[in-house]
């Protein structure tokens, strides 16, 4: 029974609502609307060991050397990496300038990382962006222990869908199906905890056991804490539904988004002090591995409402 509940969750978006929407919307919009782009494309590059991954904005979104945008960007980013900036949480956001010269930036330390180490991670990340996203108005970098993101567009409180970077681990899970049966409810549980966090921190870490293989899965999820609970939850839902595309069958991986990210590994990769055991109801004892292909795609009340709403909105749109 529990097997059904979480497979239903993970396949809900991928397997049902999205394709349906993508089929129905263009029909209603009369096919003259441009194709709805699937923003869940993997777009970014990583260093060879994936210590840093980043994504820069399109080629046209550049600023000139000596421009006010460059000065504002430099000032804001320098404050993130300066040890003089007050350390009170692992999250920094800042805006500087007016109109087209306005720079919005945020830097987020992974929730278990000591605050004293945050500036160093920001400093290294910003150096990489300087070298590899030169003159780009927008850029995002995901380091192992922090994230830095800036844009000329306002980014505070907004769950951004783009860019997305998938970083699958190198090793296959010994029993991929059993692994997935535990991974999904684990990250769902952690998402609930993270989304319930306060405006300083929305982070959760924990592990769960895969009974069939006696393997432990360690996972973390995090949102930028400027997101409210619902936006954080939705962002992490998206990240969870990205797992099959990102990391199917792998015993480790990262789904990286500007506003939230998740990571799982088969070893303890975060500070043990942040760890917790997540008990998954019905997962204790011996799971013989049955019911693995028992996937029921149901539309949950909320996504059904969403579907109805988008249908109404798009029909209205078609009329005007
Ligand atoms: C899926 O599981 C439910 C109950 O656990 C069962 O009633 C149903 O027949 C199963 N479906 C398939 C296709 O195995
Ligand atoms: C980029 O700018 C060039 C020249 O200004 C223009 O021809 C091109 O269409 C632009 N590309 C995009 C994607 O906006
Ligand atoms: C951000 O920069 C892009 C590219 O130069 C521009 O098209 C867009 O209008 C800018 N947005 C804002 C809010 O300034
Ligand atoms: C700005 O200066 C850097 C060197 O400091 C150079 O690499 C880059 O091409 C310059 N960009 C523009 C748009 O002139
Ligand atoms: C990183 O820190 C060094 C000093 O340790 C400093 O010289 C450098 O400007 C910093 N880099 C950035 C991008 O702030
Ligand atoms: C900040 O302090 C750390 C040690 O706490 C040091 O390693 C780092 O170089 C300092 N960074 C700057 C920019 O001064
Ligand atoms: C990033 O910049 C560094 C320094 O310029 C360069 O060595 C490296 O190849 C760049 N990486 C990518 C993926 O472009
Ligand atoms: C399962 O793993 C734990 C530690 O991860 C170990 O103590 C225990 O002996 C293992 N059990 C079996 C049956 O392998
Ligand atoms: C930074 O984020 C906080 C919420 O976390 C918000 O109250 C504040 O206004 C933001 N700062 C800027 C400069 O927008
Ligand atoms: C996650 O699991 C823990 C322990 O198993 C439980 O106490 C907690 O309520 C769960 N949190 C959510 C949001 O489901
Ligand atoms: C679980 O099943 C394995 C064989 O699949 C068996 O060796 C082990 O004793 C069982 N453990 C429990 C707690 O039933
Ligand atoms: C597992 O499935 C097999 C057939 O697929 C069935 O014979 C067996 O009884 C099932 N075991 C459990 C515990 O459901």
């Amino acid at each position: 029974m529990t097997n059904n509940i979480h497979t239903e969750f993970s396949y809900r978006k991928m397997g049902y609502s999205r394709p349906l929407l993508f089929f129905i919307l263009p029909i209603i919009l009369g096919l003259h609307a441009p194709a709805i782009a699937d923003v869940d494309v993997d777009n970014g590059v990583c260093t060879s060991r994936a210590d840093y991954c980043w994504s820069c904005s399109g080629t046209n979104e550049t600023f000139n050397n000596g421009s006010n945008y460059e000065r504002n960007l430099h000032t804001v980013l320098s404050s993130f990496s300066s040890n003089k900036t007050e350390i009170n949480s692992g999250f920094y956001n800042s805006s500087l300038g007016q109109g087209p010269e306005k720079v919005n930036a945020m830097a987020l330390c992974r929730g278990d990382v000591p605050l004293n180490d945050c500036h160093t991670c920001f400093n290294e990340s910003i150096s990489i962006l300087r070298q590899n996203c030169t003159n780009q108005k927008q850029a995002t970098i995901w380091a192992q222990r922090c994230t830095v993101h800036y844009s000329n567009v306002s980014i505070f409180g907004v769950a951004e869908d783009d860019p997305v970077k998938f970083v699958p681990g190198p090793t296959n899970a010994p029993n991929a199906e059993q692994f997935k049966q535990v991974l999904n409810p684990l990250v769902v549980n952690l998402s609930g905890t993270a989304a319930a966090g306060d405006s300083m921190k929305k982070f959760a870490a924990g592990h769960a056991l895969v009974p069939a293989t006696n393997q432990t899965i360690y996972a973390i999820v995090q949102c930028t804490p400027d997101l409210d609970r619902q936006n954080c939850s939705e962002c992490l839902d998206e990240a969870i539904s990205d797992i099959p595309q990102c990391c199917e069958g792998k015993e480790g991986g990262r789904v990286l988004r500007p506003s939230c990210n998740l990571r799982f590994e088969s070893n303890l990769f975060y500070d043990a002090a942040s760890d917790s055991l997540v008990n998954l109801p019905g997962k204790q004892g011996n799971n013989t591995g049955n019911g693995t292909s028992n996937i029921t795609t149901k539309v949950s009340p909320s996504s059904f409402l969403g579907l109805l709403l988008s249908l109404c909105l798009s029909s209205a749109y078609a009329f005007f």
Side-chain angles (χ1 to χ4, degrees):
M1 270 318 204
T2 45
N3 285 356
N4 286 337
I5 289 166
H6 70 264
T7 41
E8 178 188 312
F9 178 87
S10 62
Y11 283 81
R12 175 166 54 87
K13 292 193 159 154
M14 302 289 290
Y16 197 100
S17 359
R18 274 195 206 169
L20 196 67
L21 275 171
F22 285 147
F23 273 108
I24 290 175
L25 281 180
I27 295 169
I28 293 175
L29 294 175
L31 295 170
H32 57 261
I36 297 170
D38 190 356
V39 289
D40 287 16
V41 286
D42 183 10
N43 49 12
V45 288
C46 296
T47 54
S48 57
R49 294 173 60 224
D51 290 332
Y52 300 90
C53 300
W54 64 90
S55 176
C56 323
S57 58
T59 46
N60 275 6
E61 301 181 17
T62 56
F63 58 82
N64 291 322
N65 286 338
S67 65
N68 285 335
Y69 195 92
E70 182 187 49
R71 269 189 290 278
N72 291 338
L73 184 62
H74 180 81
T75 305
V76 166
L77 295 182
S78 299
S79 75
F80 289 161
S81 45
S82 161
N83 279 349
K84 293 195 192 106
T85 301
E86 196 186 342
I87 296 178
N88 49 14
S89 85
F91 178 61
Y92 302 84
N93 66 20
S94 188
S95 294
L96 191 60
Q98 297 295 323
E101 293 165 355
K102 185 172 180 180
V103 173
N104 308 287
M106 51 176 72
L108 176 68
C109 222
R110 205 176 72 193
D112 61 308
V113 170
L115 293 177
N116 281 332
D117 296 348
C118 294
H119 289 135
T120 304
C121 186
F122 296 157
N123 182 290
E124 288 162 0
S125 300
I126 290 162
S127 295
I128 289 174
L129 288 184
R130 285 223 172 109
Q131 286 167 20
N132 298 81
C133 297
T134 316
N135 297 105
Q136 299 286 308
K137 281 188 182 172
Q138 308 189 14
T140 305
I141 184 166
W142 302 272
Q144 299 262 11
R145 288 149 67 87
C146 73
T147 301
V148 176
H149 177 41
Y150 54 79
S151 177
N152 69 323
V153 177
S154 179
I155 52 179
F156 300 112
V158 183
E160 291 173 278
D161 282 335
D162 188 39
V164 181
K165 180 65 189 161
F166 300 146
V167 188
T171 313
N172 289 327
N175 186 334
E177 200 53 49
Q178 295 297 316
F179 192 87
K180 190 160 87 181
Q181 302 285 330
V182 174
L183 175 60
N184 266 299
L186 170 62
V187 290
V188 167
N189 174 289
L190 295 176
S191 297
T193 307
D198 60 22
S199 64
M200 306 282 276
K201 197 189 257 194
K202 286 191 166 62
F203 171 79
H207 69 274
L209 191 69
V210 185
T213 54
N214 195 28
Q215 189 178 23
T216 304
I217 308 177
Y218 298 89
I220 57 176
V221 306
Q222 185 163 25
C223 293
T224 60
D226 57 314
L227 295 191
D228 64 17
R229 183 180 190 150
Q230 189 184 348
N231 276 317
C232 174
S233 183
E234 285 172 4
C235 188
L236 288 170
D237 281 1
E238 291 288 337
I240 291 169
S241 71
D242 286 335
I243 292 177
Q245 199 187 342
C246 158
C247 314
E248 184 79 62
K250 300 296 182 187
E251 65 176 19
R254 283 178 266 169
V255 176
L256 305 171
R257 290 172 162 267
S259 305
C260 69
N261 63 79
L262 70 80
R263 178 175 185 179
F264 62 94
E265 302 288 348
S266 59
N267 60 302
L268 180 62
F269 63 96
Y270 48 81
D271 184 0
S274 299
D275 195 26
S276 64
L277 171 66
V278 175
N279 288 308
L280 304 171
K283 285 282 179 276
Q284 291 82 12
N286 257 351
N287 186 334
T288 56
N290 274 10
T292 46
S293 58
N294 191 339
I295 295 163
T296 53
T297 35
K298 273 196 247 160
V299 181
S300 77
S302 65
S303 67
F304 184 62
L305 254 177
L307 182 65
L308 268 183
L309 191 67
S310 6
L311 285 177
C312 293
L313 284 175
S314 48
S315 325
Y317 177 81
F319 273 106
F320 292 109

